Amino acid sequence: YEKSKEMINFLESGVYRIDSNFTFMDPVRVLNSSDYTQFRVSHSVYYNRFFECEDKEKSRVSTSSRKRKRKERKPYTLNERERSADQRHQEAKPLLLKAHEVLLGAKDLLHCISNLKCDGGNDDTSCSNGSRELSSIEDEKKQSFVELGSVWQAPLYDISINYRVDNKTTGSSLGLSRVVPAFNNLVINESCDDVEAEILNKRYVLPGDSCFYMSDLKQIHDLIPADTDNGFNLIVIDPPWENGSARQKSLYPTLPNRYFLSLPIKQLTHTKGALVALWVTNKEKLRTFVEKELFPLWGVSCLAIFYWLKVKADGSLINELDLFHHRPYECLLLGYCHGEGMNTELPATLNPLKENQVIISIPGEYSRKPPVGKLLMDYLPGPKPARCIELFARELFSGWTSWGNEPLHFQELSYFVNK
Ligand code: SAM
């Protein structure tokens, strides 16, 4: 009975609490339940990487892991940094194995996961072009906001937000457009419904009550509120860390670590404090940088680590847990920031951050993180509803501010289906 109650809840919210430490998440359901009223995020487009390309993916994974195994057979002594990384991994491993075991035991959930791609029935009819594969969407010329924002004409590009106003008496509806600069400008969808917007003949979906500021890091100071009461209670950051992946390099530009020291985290923090959630890779050099330099400079002490465990449609891990450079998990480091010049104690009523949380989901496109905001709401200081911001965002959420050089990336109409 408990399971089926949880399943009903999952089908509505996209979140399945397997137990107090382990949560399975269907990002598409999470987004559709809280961010969209007129459109729906398409399951088949979101999950294309692990469903449509499964055979291709399998052969790619098996040949590359064969190659890796061949390499790994050579006797190899870990250097000091690798030993520290391995130690972290060994510490996390029992928890991650337990989470995976518990997932494999939740049969009703597993059955549901295997059908996620085609959930929603006619889901494969994406808004702009009918039924098609993500690969063809990728091939299609997408707007590169990174390029667009870097040319001299960037300040001239507008976004038109198309509102629909329904006349209840006549039953008719009227279209209204608001045209504002697309770059270096806080663009707000003031309506509580999702609306369509257009830049250079490409269409995007803006969730109700969402806003974005599309700019380079150089302009991030424009987001600092004049009054700390208008600061943020939740700051989620997914920086473009440098790593060797050629795929990453072709998808978005990366920045050296020292650039993140200049992020104005304290100035963005609300008077009552903020929970800071930082996505990190498993590189030891990066973890040391965050713990020894970045968090201390931001005034954040790491209080908890949430793990994101990545699985395929059949519930198996996307890579072997022990694969050194390709772990099937990433970490979200969490801590509180008190804001510039403030020493406010966090209220005693604040729920203590839970340790040992594992969020399990099937990954979407490369580097796209699951929408963890909902799981963090219980830990936020300050007034409700909390003010939330994502830095280096590629998508928008209802009630949030998204900042980055391409916050509309996953808002393109082809990621959606009509409700
Ligand atoms: N959290 C995102 C998601 O789930 O899809 C992924 C963020 S990705 C790791 C980092 C983002 O930072 C990319 O969109 C990249 O274009 C952006 N970025 C890189 N350099 C930037 C810069 N100088 N200013 C602003 N954004 C930048």
Side-chain angles (χ1 to χ4, degrees):
Y1 170 69
E2 271 311 308
K3 279 271 162 60
S4 64
K5 213 170 82 186
E6 200 47 64
M7 182 51 72
I8 292 165
N9 185 37
F10 171 70
L11 295 174
E12 269 171 26
S13 69
V15 173
Y16 188 111
R17 299 261 178 205
I18 311 177
D19 73 15
S20 60
N21 290 98
F22 309 137
T23 305
F24 181 84
M25 182 184 271
D26 169 14
V28 179
R29 279 201 167 81
V30 171
L31 295 173
N32 287 338
S33 71
S34 52
D35 293 79
Y36 298 98
T37 53
Q38 311 297 314
F39 294 89
R40 282 187 309 120
V41 177
S42 157
H43 270 93
S44 56
V45 178
Y46 189 101
Y47 285 124
N48 192 279
R49 195 167 145 214
F50 282 96
F51 287 89
E52 303 289 335
C53 316
E54 200 152 11
D55 292 337
K56 220 166 51 187
E57 190 72 20
K58 259 188 203 144
S59 62
R60 192 186 64 73
V61 169
S62 65
T63 36
S64 61
S65 68
R66 240 181 283 133
K67 272 188 216 151
R68 266 181 234 126
K69 268 185 199 140
R70 229 178 287 142
K71 272 191 211 156
E72 280 164 5
R73 241 180 269 138
K74 285 191 214 149
Y76 180 72
T77 348
L78 299 180
N79 65 32
E80 202 184 323
R81 225 180 239 155
E82 289 167 334
R83 276 201 303 277
S84 308
D86 191 55
Q87 196 184 329
R88 281 187 210 273
H89 172 66
Q90 295 306 332
E91 280 164 19
K93 196 171 157 181
L95 177 74
L96 296 167
L97 283 173
K98 182 76 194 156
H100 192 224
E101 185 194 311
V102 170
L103 172 75
L104 295 182
K107 296 292 176 217
D108 57 343
L109 179 59
L110 272 188
H111 175 74
C112 199
I113 296 175
S114 66
N115 289 318
L116 279 185
K117 185 220 153 199
C118 44
D119 264 12
N122 58 355
D123 198 21
D124 52 353
T125 314
S126 122
C127 276
S128 48
N129 259 353
S131 175
R132 68 242 177 98
E133 311 283 305
L134 183 65
S135 50
S136 68
I137 296 176
E138 276 180 337
D139 292 344
E140 193 181 283
K141 190 82 190 109
K142 284 205 151 192
Q143 194 128 258
S144 165
F145 289 109
V146 180
E147 274 171 35
L148 210 61
S150 63
V151 299
W152 69 266
Q153 297 97 324
L156 307 176
Y157 293 129
D158 286 331
I159 179 167
S160 72
I161 308 177
N162 305 319
Y163 296 100
R164 219 188 56 206
V165 183
D166 293 324
N167 184 329
K168 287 204 178 101
T169 333
T170 61
S172 60
S173 63
L174 184 72
L176 279 181
S177 268
R178 196 161 58 85
V179 182
V180 292
F183 288 95
N184 302 329
N185 180 34
L186 191 68
V187 181
I188 308 173
N189 171 13
E190 279 145 359
S191 97
C192 45
D193 287 320
D194 30 336
V195 295
E196 256 187 63
E198 212 172 306
I199 304 179
L200 295 173
N201 297 324
K202 295 258 181 195
R203 293 186 290 161
Y204 300 87
V205 177
L206 312 184
D209 188 30
S210 66
C211 65
F212 71 87
Y213 193 93
M214 183 150 58
S215 80
D216 185 74
L217 181 59
K218 286 184 227 112
Q219 283 82 33
I220 194 175
H221 283 80
D222 295 347
L223 280 176
I224 297 173
D227 179 349
T228 53
D229 280 350
N230 290 323
F232 297 94
N233 311 108
L234 173 60
I235 306 178
V236 175
I237 315 162
D238 184 15
W241 303 116
E242 283 181 327
N243 80 27
S245 156
R247 176 140 175 78
Q248 181 205 39
K249 280 177 195 156
S250 69
L251 287 175
Y252 55 78
T254 57
L255 291 169
N257 289 350
R258 66 176 185 283
Y259 281 71
F260 307 118
L261 294 166
S262 69
L263 287 175
I265 302 302
K266 283 182 189 166
Q267 295 98 307
L268 290 171
T269 293
H270 188 273
T271 321
K272 303 271 184 206
L275 176 68
V276 174
L278 177 72
W279 286 103
V280 290
T281 66
N282 293 308
K283 255 172 86 180
E284 188 57 23
K285 195 175 164 193
L286 176 61
R287 286 294 286 275
T288 315
F289 167 73
V290 171
E291 284 167 11
K292 300 231 156 73
E293 291 185 62
L294 195 63
F295 267 9
L297 190 92
W298 290 353
V300 175
S301 51
C302 183
L303 298 177
I305 302 174
F306 283 14
Y307 295 91
W308 172 34
L309 189 63
K310 305 176 203 178
V311 296
K312 293 187 194 172
D314 60 1
S316 62
L317 300 177
I318 63 157
N319 283 321
E320 289 159 40
L321 198 55
D322 285 328
L323 216 52
F324 198 89
H325 293 292
H326 298 270
R327 304 273 193 229
Y329 64 90
E330 287 182 51
C331 300
L332 184 68
L333 308 186
L334 297 156
Y336 288 102
C337 180
H338 295 288
E340 194 91 296
M342 278 178 267
N343 259 330
T344 32
E345 286 284 305
L346 290 167
T349 48
L350 197 63
N351 289 326
L353 270 171
K354 274 198 201 153
E355 277 287 358
N356 297 334
Q357 293 293 303
V358 183
I359 301 158
I360 311 169
S361 77
I362 300 175
E365 263 183 70
Y366 184 81
S367 192
R368 189 172 188 180
K369 305 300 187 296
V372 288
K374 216 180 204 177
L375 305 182
L376 301 175
M377 292 299 157
D378 290 344
Y379 308 111
L380 305 188
K384 302 268 175 315
R387 292 177 46 82
C388 308
I389 188 167
E390 182 175 3
L391 306 183
F392 301 104
R394 289 192 297 182
E395 63 191 308
L396 312 184
F397 303 117
S398 268
W400 285 56
T401 302
S402 297
W403 168 82
N405 61 11
E406 48 171 2
L408 293 181
H409 181 87
F410 289 123
Q411 300 306 133
E412 216 216 75
L413 198 60
S414 56
Y415 288 98
F416 295 85
V417 287
N418 278 316
K419 201 148 198 171

